[in-house]
Structure formats: C-alpha cells, structure tokens
Amino acid sequence: MSSRRSRQSGTSRITDDQIIDLVSKLRQLVPEIRNRRSDKVPASKVLQETCNYIRNLHREVDDLSERLSQLLATIDAESAEASIIRSLITQ
C-alpha cells in the first residue's frame, strides 16, 4: 500500500469535479453526443465516442492529405493552383 501512496504523492490528482467538467466539455465537442436528445450519456460512453470521433478525424485528415498530394502530382508544379495546394498541405 505504501508504494501506491508514494506513486500518487508525486503526481497531481484530478478532482471529481474536474472530471465532470471535462466530460461535460467533451459532450459539447463530439457531434455524435451533442446531437442526442438525452443529456444522460454516461461518462464511459462519452469517452468511447470521443475516441471514435478522433479516430475518424485522423482518417479524414489522412484521406484529404492523400487527395491533395494526388492533385498536386497532376498539375503544373509552378502554377498558382500548385502553390495553393502546397500552402494547404504545410499548414
């Protein structure tokens, strides 16, 4: 038991109120949860949906980056369009 205490003493602890506040903020950010009529979504479901949402966003970014790269490969490298695409990729 003392080893557990010593590990916790070196770290800052988050309070239940802080957890509730953070879960509430996630509820507002994740469309799948925000669009539900019920406010009674368990915290575990909020966390699960948040992870799914982040995974989907990563996939979308990867897909869009790939599409931009393909588009860039098909146009003149010195054109205005190529310059715009390069600026989008590097942002």
Side-chain angles (χ1 to χ4, degrees):
M1 186 80 161
S2 63
S3 65
R4 185 174 182 185
R5 278 193 195 130
S6 65
R7 279 188 274 143
Q8 290 181 349
S9 65
T11 61
S12 62
R13 293 181 46 97
I14 188 166
T15 66
D16 288 345
D17 287 342
Q18 289 171 317
I19 291 172
I20 291 167
D21 183 52
L22 291 169
V23 170
S24 176
K25 288 177 181 177
L26 287 174
R27 277 189 181 102
Q28 296 168 11
L29 290 172
V30 179
E32 180 71 23
I33 298 167
R34 185 179 59 224
N35 297 333
R36 289 190 182 165
R37 300 207 184 270
S38 173
D39 290 336
K40 299 291 183 184
V41 179
S44 61
K45 183 70 172 171
V46 171
L47 295 174
Q48 191 175 42
E49 291 296 333
T50 301
C51 289
N52 291 339
Y53 182 61
I54 292 170
R55 273 191 221 96
N56 287 335
L57 288 175
H58 278 285
R59 273 190 227 112
E60 285 184 44
V61 167
D62 289 344
D63 290 346
L64 289 172
S65 293
E66 179 63 29
R67 288 172 57 192
L68 279 173
S69 294
Q70 290 172 354
L71 182 59
L72 189 56
T74 64
I75 61 176
D76 177 20
E78 301 304 317
S79 68
E81 293 88 358
S83 177
I84 292 169
I85 292 171
R86 276 194 298 277
S87 71
L88 291 170
I89 291 173
T90 59
Q91 286 184 354

